[in-house]
Amino acid sequence: MIIPPYRADEKRYDNGMKYERCGRSGLLLPRISLGLWHNFGDVDSFANSRDMLHFAFDNGITCFDLANNYGPSYGSAEETFGRVMQSSFRPYRDEMVITTKAGYDMWPGPYGNWGSRKYLMASLNQSLKRMNLDYVDIFYSHRFDPATPMEETLQALVDIVRQGKALYVGISKWPYEASEFAYRYLAAHDVPCLIYQGRYNMIDRGVEKSGILQQAADSGVGFTAFSPLEQGVLTNRYLNGVPEGSRASKGKFLKAESITRELVESLNRLNAIAARRGQTLAEMSLAWLLKDDKVTSVIVGSSSVAQLSDSIRSLSNLEFSTEELREIDAITGTLTSPKL
């Protein structure tokens, strides 16, 4: 079968996507970004991955979030994206915000992990080759390294921008005090931190409680939320327990025993609120995050075009009444994140 050449939808910026300024920068990000953590590796259908990427861009999603070891196997999500860049996306490169990260295990030995200058720079060079790119728009330190001087990690980010291999830099999952140091250091070296990436959803509100979300806003730094649906928990998938083929049934990142009877009962109560709003539970969960202007964008995963379409529909209703917010808080206040 011959696949016709890809041409982006001419109405891609008129399909309902909204954009938000990222901190005190000139960069606008789509409120919904597409994450390639799952379902874009070499174990997945390339045709399905390609179709999701095309659908995302055709509907105004311009930000694609990757990391060096996304797959599986490690690096294969970047390779998938690189294939689509070569075959489809090349004419539209300047309309995209492509991000990648380094900080977790990538290759054997002492130089393929954490936050050393050697690892960050080598990893980015490899990522650029896999994605068929000359530069990324945002490069992240994927996690705080307590054993490497912060100055070394941050100076590597500064030099990566000065080398033209990234336009902006960000940090992900850094603790409060380290983030404060990072914001000051990067600003003093004329490469201000663009964005903080953190785990955030209706159940896991750690970035609220720690002050990280407000700290980013006060520092002129954007915030993008990953796991906005709590590994699929905040969808209709677990309203009747653990279905066959679900992420919890596979037990890698989300365990079946985490889906307790109490959690299922709470999810059904949240689903009832969503139904009153004319939304699915997933749509309401994304809308709950996007109601807050401190959240620049949310990174959604997807296994199908239909699932991605559902995520985009959340933008049609971002308004919550005081009573709705009170109900949601009452339900989620007794829950703990099922992540392990």
Side-chain angles (χ1 to χ4, degrees):
M1 178 181 177
I2 299 176
I3 304 296
Y6 171 73
R7 289 189 61 184
D9 190 333
E10 293 181 357
K11 296 182 179 179
R12 57 190 175 276
Y13 298 115
D14 302 315
N15 286 338
M17 182 53 61
K18 303 177 191 300
Y19 300 85
E20 183 77 18
R21 187 163 303 280
C22 190
R24 285 196 293 265
S25 78
L27 187 68
L28 297 173
L29 291 182
R31 300 306 309 277
I32 293 175
S33 301
L34 179 60
L36 280 72
W37 181 22
H38 299 292
N39 304 311
F40 291 86
D42 54 17
V43 301
D44 301 298
S45 162
F46 174 75
N48 187 52
S49 299
R50 179 198 60 217
D51 290 349
M52 287 190 287
L53 288 166
H54 288 175
F55 181 84
F57 189 61
D58 284 341
N59 284 271
I61 293 179
T62 54
C63 183
F64 301 96
D65 182 81
L66 296 103
N68 56 358
N69 63 357
Y70 285 178
S73 57
Y74 286 179
S76 61
E78 290 182 330
E79 289 173 348
T80 294
F81 189 85
R83 288 178 65 185
V84 177
M85 175 56 63
Q86 286 294 83
S87 64
S88 306
F89 279 170
R90 182 66 63 194
Y92 309 101
R93 170 63 183 98
D94 290 338
E95 296 182 40
M96 297 177 178
V97 174
I98 302 167
T99 85
T100 196
K101 317 176 196 72
Y104 283 93
D105 175 58
M106 183 59 190
W107 62 80
Y111 314 121
N113 209 340
W114 293 102
S116 71
R117 178 184 182 88
K118 180 171 178 61
Y119 173 46
L120 296 182
M121 290 194 159
S123 179
L124 179 54
N125 286 337
Q126 293 180 18
S127 293
L128 293 175
K129 290 178 181 177
R130 284 191 289 267
M131 292 191 286
N132 291 306
L133 296 174
D134 297 321
Y135 69 95
V136 292
D137 297 273
I138 306 172
F139 181 66
Y140 288 93
S141 166
H142 204 170
R143 62 170 166 173
F144 175 67
D145 180 353
T148 297
M150 284 188 284
E151 293 89 344
E152 178 176 339
T153 299
L154 296 169
Q155 188 60 43
L157 297 182
V158 169
D159 292 342
I160 280 167
V161 170
R162 290 178 178 163
Q163 291 171 2
K165 294 178 180 179
L167 302 185
Y168 304 91
V169 293
I171 57 176
S172 177
K173 293 180 283 189
W174 281 44
Y176 186 96
E177 293 78 9
S179 297
E180 192 70 30
F181 182 89
Y183 297 156
R184 290 199 307 268
Y185 185 97
L186 292 170
H189 289 76
D190 299 321
V191 180
C193 185
L194 176 78
I195 194 163
Y196 184 104
Q197 186 174 127
R199 183 185 179 94
Y200 188 30
N201 56 62
M202 286 196 296
I203 298 174
D204 190 339
R205 306 193 189 186
V207 294
E208 282 183 15
K209 296 173 183 176
S210 66
I212 284 172
L213 183 62
Q214 187 62 52
Q215 176 193 45
D218 292 343
S219 302
V221 175
F223 182 93
T224 186
F226 71 88
S227 291
L229 300 179
E230 189 63 41
Q231 296 290 300
V233 170
L234 290 168
T235 70
N236 62 5
R237 178 158 285 194
Y238 299 101
L239 296 178
N240 297 301
V242 180
E244 188 66 30
S246 66
R247 191 172 292 180
S249 71
K250 298 174 182 176
K252 186 175 181 183
F253 293 100
L254 179 66
K255 308 298 183 184
E257 55 267 28
S258 300
I259 310 300
T260 63
R261 184 179 67 182
E262 292 76 16
L263 176 60
V264 170
E265 290 174 354
S266 295
L267 293 176
N268 277 277
R269 291 170 64 195
L270 290 171
N271 190 54
I273 301 172
R276 295 201 306 265
R277 291 170 49 82
Q279 293 180 311
T280 65
L281 177 54
E283 289 170 14
M284 184 182 77
S285 299
L286 296 176
W288 181 87
L289 286 167
L290 292 169
K291 75 184 187 313
D292 190 340
D293 60 9
K294 291 190 289 293
V295 176
T296 313
S297 183
V298 298
I299 300 168
V300 301
S302 183
S303 61
S304 67
V305 164
Q307 194 176 70
L308 186 54
S309 179
D310 185 37
S311 295
I312 293 171
R313 281 196 297 272
S314 66
L315 294 169
S316 64
N317 183 10
L318 302 182
E319 300 296 324
F320 286 79
S321 70
T322 302
E323 181 56 33
E324 285 174 333
L325 293 175
R326 187 179 298 117
E327 282 187 79
I328 290 169
D329 287 347
I331 296 167
T332 59
T334 60
L335 299 177
T336 57
S337 173
K339 70 180 186 297
L340 296 177

